[in-house]
Amino acid sequence: MNLREMELFGTLMRVGTTTETARLLGISQPGVSAQLKRLESRLGLSLFHRTGNRLEPTREANEIFALAAPIFSTHADIRAKLPELRNLASRPVSISATPALVEGFLGPILIRAGFQNWKKRLNLRVHSPEEDLRRGDADIGIQMALPPKAEFQAYPVGRSELVAIMRDSHPLARQDRLFCAAIAEHPLVCYNADWSPMGATIRAAFEAQGLSYDPVCTVPFCANVCDMVRACGGVGIVDSMTVRDYAMQGLVARPIVDIAEIKIIAFHRRNEPLRAPIQDFLTTLLRAA
């Protein structure tokens, strides 16, 4: 018996007539009778005796039905589960990304993934990707300099340079490129290295040069660095995408020679199967890398 024949047989056993079986399965009554006849011929067994308008199962049919009970139960469970699965599959992809990546990286990816003119729905959070994934508020996180973590499956999907920003009147603005040692001589506006992966990356670069990483002002995001440097001076370190997309009036940017590029990382919860739309979006991210 294949599954289609099993469904026909099980329905006949439960309702007892070919007419009702045809209605439930969405086929014709003669079709039910023909399928039953072929099934009995293939099995070499008589499964039902006709009594008036009803079909009475034979002993053999009752034994097969008892053996197949777990299959029928599982089939019923699957049918009951399908509406929930369809609803889950239709939910928009939920992405959590840091502001710099929303402004400078995500747009072209969305277009390649089919979101042009919003042909697909999207739930975008601009917050803390790691926290959003831990709480189940996002399907995919995108952020820079994410260190390896056992709870996340991570993929490098891009790179960005780090640059120093300062007022255009700052002494360092006269130089074409900078080293960490020169930056360390000035008040630094940057990130809390104990909280921010980018801050930890910059601290490691400073310490590799024997320098102390001690920001006078710590902020959460690159745009905040620009705001604070414009307001109060000093030197900030941001990614090159922020410089490209941020209104830099009164500020200039200089490359930093001795800090390596940082990776842009896409990640999701490890050992958790992805819905098809999420997998499709992740595939687009990886192709763009």
Side-chain angles (χ1 to χ4, degrees):
M1 276 184 165
N2 60 37
L3 288 176
R4 186 178 295 276
E5 291 168 337
M6 193 74 74
E7 182 181 35
L8 175 79
F9 169 70
T11 305
L12 282 167
M13 289 292 292
R14 286 191 294 271
V15 302
T17 71
T18 56
T19 301
E20 182 65 4
T21 297
R23 187 186 71 80
L24 291 172
L25 298 183
I27 57 179
S28 68
Q29 187 272 334
V32 171
S33 297
Q35 288 185 45
L36 175 59
K37 187 174 181 180
R38 285 195 297 271
L39 176 60
E40 289 181 321
S41 175
R42 213 157 54 75
L43 294 178
L45 296 172
S46 178
L47 297 174
F48 297 93
H49 294 299
R50 183 174 292 278
T51 305
N53 292 327
R54 294 193 61 81
L55 295 176
E56 295 295 336
T58 63
R59 174 179 175 176
E60 293 84 358
N62 278 304
E63 289 193 18
I64 293 171
F65 187 69
L67 289 170
I71 298 175
F72 298 132
S73 176
T74 300
H75 182 253
D77 290 343
I78 292 172
R79 290 176 64 91
K81 186 72 174 179
L82 282 175
E84 178 186 338
L85 293 175
R86 280 192 288 266
N87 180 61
L88 181 65
S90 66
R91 277 173 40 196
V93 174
S94 182
I95 300 168
S96 180
T98 52
L101 292 173
V102 172
E103 295 160 6
F105 175 77
L106 191 56
I109 301 295
L110 292 175
I111 291 172
R112 284 195 287 270
F115 288 87
Q116 177 82 333
N117 295 319
W118 298 113
K119 295 176 182 176
K120 297 180 181 179
R121 294 179 178 272
L122 175 70
N123 179 24
L124 176 62
R125 296 178 64 86
V126 186
H127 187 244
S128 171
E130 292 182 59
E131 292 301 320
D132 286 340
L133 261 73
R134 289 189 184 104
R135 289 195 301 264
D137 292 333
D139 302 308
I140 291 180
I142 309 174
Q143 73 179 56
M144 289 180 276
L146 178 77
K149 298 193 175 183
E151 62 191 304
F152 298 131
Q153 179 69 50
Y155 310 86
V157 294
R159 291 178 177 272
S160 181
E161 293 181 340
L162 291 180
V163 299
I165 63 162
M166 64 223 68
R167 289 174 174 172
D168 53 17
S169 59
H170 194 280
L172 292 182
R174 293 192 292 268
Q175 300 185 35
D176 292 332
R177 56 182 190 161
L178 300 174
F179 290 83
C180 291
I183 296 170
E185 294 176 358
H186 299 269
L188 180 64
V189 178
C190 221
Y191 319 97
N192 183 338
D194 295 326
W195 173 82
S196 163
M198 188 181 293
T201 298
I202 298 168
R203 178 174 64 184
F206 271 52
E207 291 177 348
Q209 308 297 322
L211 303 169
S212 174
Y213 177 77
D214 185 24
V216 296
C217 174
T218 57
V219 298
F221 300 120
C222 294
N224 307 137
V225 172
C226 298
D227 291 335
M228 293 300 96
V229 170
R230 177 181 288 126
C232 297
V235 180
I237 299 177
V238 300
D239 65 275
S240 57
M241 291 180 293
T242 296
V243 170
R244 184 186 66 208
D245 297 320
Y246 187 81
M248 293 285 289
Q249 296 95 332
L251 300 178
V252 295
R254 296 292 182 264
I256 305 172
V257 175
D258 47 355
I259 296 184
E261 288 183 324
I262 55 171
K263 292 180 180 180
I264 301 170
I265 303 294
F267 57 101
H268 58 80
R269 291 176 292 276
R270 193 183 296 273
N271 299 324
E272 181 177 307
L274 301 178
R275 294 186 291 122
I278 302 168
Q279 187 65 63
D280 291 343
F281 181 77
L282 181 60
T283 298
T284 301
L285 271 173
L286 295 174
R287 285 175 179 167

